[in-house]
Amino acid sequence: MPARPDFNLYEALELSSTATATEITSSYRRLAREHHPDKNPDNEEATEKMQRINAAHDILSDIRLRAQYDSGPSSPESRFSSFYEDDEDGYSHGFATPEDFMNSFFGAQYEARYHNGHYHYQDEYCPGTDPYSAYFGRREEQAAAAFEAHIAKEAEAEKARQKIRAEQQAKIEKQQAEKAAREERKKAEEAAKQEAREKAASDEKEQQELIWKEKNAITAEEKRATCLHASFWPKHQGKAKYKCMGCNQKRGPTGFKCPHCELLQCQKCLTAFNAKKSTS
């Protein structure tokens, strides 16, 4: 009768000998999902692989059994060796019967049924109960509750993020609307100023035409002599220097011309002319 399994329990669970209890459980569940016979109906080795995974998990998930396994068999009468019996195929699967195994941990008689690589137990004192199923059922319920709480928390976080994005978008839209409104106001103000300038120039032109008519000014010299001159003189850009009609000096090429009588003056003369006009 062998005292230990004929395979390495850690290798069966694809772990190192320093694996934690959490790592053992996690690896067992991963391998069980991967190698379960129900998921591998065409694989003849799946059942044997699953049996090895179950056996390794049964021992390594128990602190006392794992310690005895790690320390190795100290004698033929080692307590660890009593946990194993050879079946007719020579495979060491644990206690002589599933009931012996369960009784050693739960202190009661259990009805055991083997299905798909697992023993399923029922307490004769509490019919319909299964300590393993109850334990893992609670763990699954806790995991499901934690997952639902996580989903709810993520939903709340996403709602908060959406609120922040909506506020930021509203702020951007408000800033864009304010900018557009400022630009519209500026355009309206510029249009109003341009309209005012055009009206003033038109009024000045009408008044100037009346003066010329009254004084019978026909030639350019006569018109310049009787011109009231416009309040705004546009720039006159020439290709060469010009002679200022105010100071008779050559200037250029940029000057200023009265839009009524076409008097051409330099900047200095125009400034002095406007200053004299404003005080008169």
Side-chain angles (χ1 to χ4, degrees), residues 40-233:
N40 300 273
D42 299 329
N43 188 351
E44 297 179 355
E45 298 180 356
T47 299
E48 181 180 354
K49 178 70 173 178
M50 194 66 219
Q51 289 174 347
R52 287 173 177 263
I53 293 171
N54 288 335
H57 177 259
D58 289 343
I59 295 172
L60 297 182
S61 61
D62 184 277
I63 298 176
R64 181 168 59 89
L65 297 183
R66 181 180 180 182
Q68 292 175 352
Y69 175 79
D70 290 342
S71 63
S74 58
S75 67
E77 291 79 18
S78 171
R79 293 178 63 192
F80 183 82
S81 65
S82 65
F83 293 131
Y84 293 89
E85 293 287 347
D86 283 345
D87 58 18
E88 60 185 17
D89 297 327
Y91 177 69
S92 179
H93 60 77
F95 287 93
T97 65
E99 289 83 356
D100 292 340
F101 176 79
M102 294 299 295
N103 290 342
S104 68
F105 288 95
F106 299 103
Q109 297 297 319
Y110 289 85
E111 175 187 356
R113 292 178 290 103
Y114 188 79
H115 178 66
N116 288 338
H118 289 279
Y119 280 110
H120 301 266
Y121 302 94
Q122 182 178 11
D123 188 351
E124 65 178 5
Y125 300 108
C126 299
T129 63
D130 181 345
Y132 275 173
S133 297
Y135 172 74
F136 286 111
R138 289 193 299 272
R139 293 293 296 274
E140 291 176 356
E141 290 176 359
Q142 293 171 356
F147 179 73
E148 291 178 358
H150 172 73
I151 294 299
K153 185 176 180 180
E154 283 296 318
E156 289 296 326
E158 179 60 25
K159 187 183 296 183
R161 288 192 291 269
Q162 290 178 353
K163 181 180 178 181
I164 292 173
R165 287 195 292 267
E167 292 174 350
Q168 291 176 341
Q169 183 62 29
K171 183 178 180 181
I172 292 173
E173 292 176 354
K174 181 180 178 182
Q175 291 174 345
Q176 292 176 343
E178 291 175 349
K179 182 179 179 181
R182 287 195 300 269
E183 292 177 351
E184 287 296 326
R185 287 195 299 270
K186 186 176 180 180
K187 289 180 180 179
E189 291 172 358
E190 290 295 331
K193 289 179 181 179
Q194 181 63 27
E195 184 179 356
R197 285 194 294 266
E198 291 176 354
K199 186 176 185 305
S202 177
D203 292 342
E204 287 178 350
K205 185 67 173 176
E206 289 180 2
Q207 185 180 5
Q208 186 64 63
E209 291 290 344
L210 288 174
I211 293 174
W212 285 339
K213 186 176 181 181
E214 290 176 358
K215 295 185 177 183
N216 197 25
I218 299 174
T219 65
E221 289 77 8
E222 291 173 343
K223 287 184 176 181
R224 290 193 187 102
T226 58
C227 185
L228 298 174
H229 301 299
S231 57
F232 175 76
W233 291 31

